[in-house]
């Protein structure tokens, strides 16, 4: 009895030879076409060549060509593989392009100047996280318009923007949603042609509209089910899609709100101390939070859940910033370090500051409040890094308590460039203020101290930087073309040019009647936060700057100034918005009127 298991292997192989030829797969043979099939093959090849753009239109072969040549071409094309055929079609395509350029005189420089090519280059640079736009020189910061808005609140600690809405938080546990109006440029009147040529079109200044309002209660500290903050709100952030608003406060709570109606969606209590900073990853709902408990936590708002915790700082983490890539930069106050966190790779880069180098020992000329100019030579060591903002994925800036603004790169552990005492010096303290003695020695006055950098903001992937302190001005800086230096541009101004543009001559007289120490002050109080967004497509309609101000610092009450608790908006136009000659005429008119009023 034979079976499959008892049959020798040699017999099995013989059985394979006995298989009929009909069951075997047919071998590939060269196809020989008859004259009747030539029409079908020629149509097929013609269709293939027309689809691939192989230049069959320029073929001068007559229809009555020799059939043997066609048969040989068909047999040759069947022998080539798919890769060889794609290569042949690509070569034919390149030859056709070369022929067109030789015929019509096509130039490669014209392609580079094409708008589509420039847009693609910008998009590619944005995806790689590189600085690619130089917009600081195209904006007229001296002709910006200002509008103030405030509610019955204490010091505004932070502001977030998701156009056309702005969100402000304050120390009295208040979250407010505002609508920022779009500046309307009044059309020129045809009847008054002379005035239209000499006077730039005025911009309608309207204050933001308060849409929604939510306030917490400090008496609900022990109530764990309370759906709001119970201590001052220190920071706020808004998602790019306009769905979520996140707030963090001194009550260790991180609350996620619905941006549409300001209703709380989720309350996180994982932080063990006050939440000091929030930053959304651009284009996503991934959130980074910093806290005084020396940690950074990541959250996913799509699932409204916690992701992970990042450890490393040796002191309070007071600020954080993020852009498109899955990484963030934080500063650790008195540990004097900035750390870049690569979340995916679970690693961090440490950048150490706090040194007193010879570059900072320089002569500083500062105009005091009483108008006297004093020349000092001193070095101010960096005791705390308080602010951070990212320029691109490889470059960021920090602000410190010694008034310095530093430019950092991922490729160097020390700052590439530092601007010392960026916002000037405070006047020296009086002897009775600097000494605890009953009868202080008048010969030992206090030394002038630099103003802290209390706010930093950038336009991502550009060269524009804004900084704030309590000197009454928001200062404008830019990155040099070699990306190694910080250059001063000026300050946000509005008084004379805006008053003359709107025809408010009384405003000029009011400004002239101010106290001497108040002249030049544009923003009253301490600038606690700055947010920037561009108007129009890639900022063609200018820039909008939202500044949060208060009488006190957002983290404490170390200094109290005479100011206003609220916020202000600066609409910065492009230089192409009106003619420079017209502006020169108007500035001359202002000076003439100033002379007349003084006489």
């Amino acid at each position: 009895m034979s079976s499959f298991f008892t049959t020798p292997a040699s017999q099995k192989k013989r059985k394979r030879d006995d298989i009929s030829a009909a069951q075997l797969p047919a071998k590939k043979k060269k196809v020989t076409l008859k004259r009747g099939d030539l029409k079908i093959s020629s149509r097929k090849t013609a269709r293939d060549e027309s689809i691939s753009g192989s230049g069959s239109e320029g073929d001068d072969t007559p229809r009555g060509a020799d059939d043997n040549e066609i048969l040989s071409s068909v047999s040759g094309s069947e022998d080539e593989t798919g890769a060889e055929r794609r290569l042949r079609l690509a070569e034919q395509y390149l030859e056709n392009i070369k022929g067109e350029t030789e015929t019509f005189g096509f130039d490669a420089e014209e392609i580079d100047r094409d708008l589509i090519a420039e847009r693609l280059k910008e998009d590619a640079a944005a995806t790689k996280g590189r600085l690619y736009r130089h917009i600081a020189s195209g904006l007229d910061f001296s002709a910006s318009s200002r509008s103030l808005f405030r509610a019955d609140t204490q010091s505004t600690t932070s502001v977030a923007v998701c156009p056309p809405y702005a969100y402000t938080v304050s120390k009295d546990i208040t979250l407010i949603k505002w609508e920022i109006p779009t500046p309307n440029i009044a059309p020129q009147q045809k009847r008054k042609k002379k005035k239209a040529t000499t006077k730039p079109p005025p911009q309608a200044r309207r204050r933001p509209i308060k849409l929604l309002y939510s306030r917490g209660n400090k008496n609900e500290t022990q109530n764990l089910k309370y759906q709001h903050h119970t201590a001052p709100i220190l920071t706020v952030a808004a998602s790019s899609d306009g769905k979520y608003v996140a707030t963090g406060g001194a009550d260790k709570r991180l609350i996620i709100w619905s941006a549409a109606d300001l209703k709380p969606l989720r309350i996180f209590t994982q932080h063990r101390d006050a939440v000091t900073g929030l930053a959304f990853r651009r284009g996503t709902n991934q959130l980074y939070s910093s806290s005084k408990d020396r940690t950074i936590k990541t959250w996913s708002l799509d699932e409204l859940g916690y992701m992970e915790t990042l450890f490393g700082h040796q002191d309070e983490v007071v600020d954080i910033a993020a852009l498109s890539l899955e990484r963030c930069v934080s500063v650790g106050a008195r540990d004097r370090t900035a750390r870049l966190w690569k979340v995916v790779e679970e690693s961090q880069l440490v950048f150490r500051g706090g040194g007193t180098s010879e570059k900072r020992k320089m002569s500083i000329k500062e105009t005091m409040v009483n108008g006297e100019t004093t020349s000092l030579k001193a070095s101010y060591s960096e005791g705390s890094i308080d602010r951070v903002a990212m320029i691109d994925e490889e470059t960021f800036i920090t602000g410190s308590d010694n008034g310095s603004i530093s430019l950092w790169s991922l490729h160097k552990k020390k700052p590439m460039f530092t601007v010392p005492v960026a916002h000037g010096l405070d006047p020296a303290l009086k002897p009775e203020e600097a000494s605890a003695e009953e009868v202080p020695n008048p010969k030992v006055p206090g030394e002038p101290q630099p103003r802290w950098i209390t706010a930093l903001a950038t336009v991502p992937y550009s060269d524009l930087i804004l900084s704030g302190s309590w000197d009454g001005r928001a200062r404008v800086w830019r990155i040099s073309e070699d990306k190694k230096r910080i250059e001063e541009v000026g300050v946000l101004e509005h008084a004379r040019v805006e008053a003359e543009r709107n025809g408010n001559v009384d405003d000029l007289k009011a400004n002239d009647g101010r106290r001497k120490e108040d002249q030049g002050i544009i923003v009253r109080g301490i600038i606690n936060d700055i947010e920037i967004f561009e108007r129009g497509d890639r900022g063609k309609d200018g820039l909008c700057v939202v500044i949060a101000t208060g009488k006190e610092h957002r983290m404490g009450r170390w200094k109290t100034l005479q100011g206003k608790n609220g916020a202000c908006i600066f609409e910065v136009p492009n230089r192409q918005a009106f003619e420079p000659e017209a502006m020169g005429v108007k500035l001359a008119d202002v000076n003439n009127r100033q002379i007349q009023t003084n006489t």
Side-chain angles (χ1 to χ4, degrees), residues 395 407 415-418 479-486:
T395 313
L407 177 65
M416 296 188 298
F417 190 84
T418 300
I479 306 295
S480 61
E481 294 183 358
D482 57 359
K483 306 176 186 178
K484 295 182 180 179
R485 292 177 292 109
I486 300 177

Side-chain angles (χ1 to χ4, degrees), residues 74-108:
V74 173
S75 61
S77 62
E78 289 179 356
D79 293 336
E80 66 182 2
T81 61
E84 293 175 351
R85 184 174 182 276
R86 288 191 295 270
L87 179 60
R88 177 174 58 83
L89 295 177
E91 291 176 352
Q92 291 180 0
Y93 177 72
L94 293 176
E95 290 178 359
N96 293 338
I97 292 179
K98 290 180 181 179
E100 292 178 0
T101 55
E102 293 176 357
T103 304
F104 299 101
F106 212 72
D107 191 6

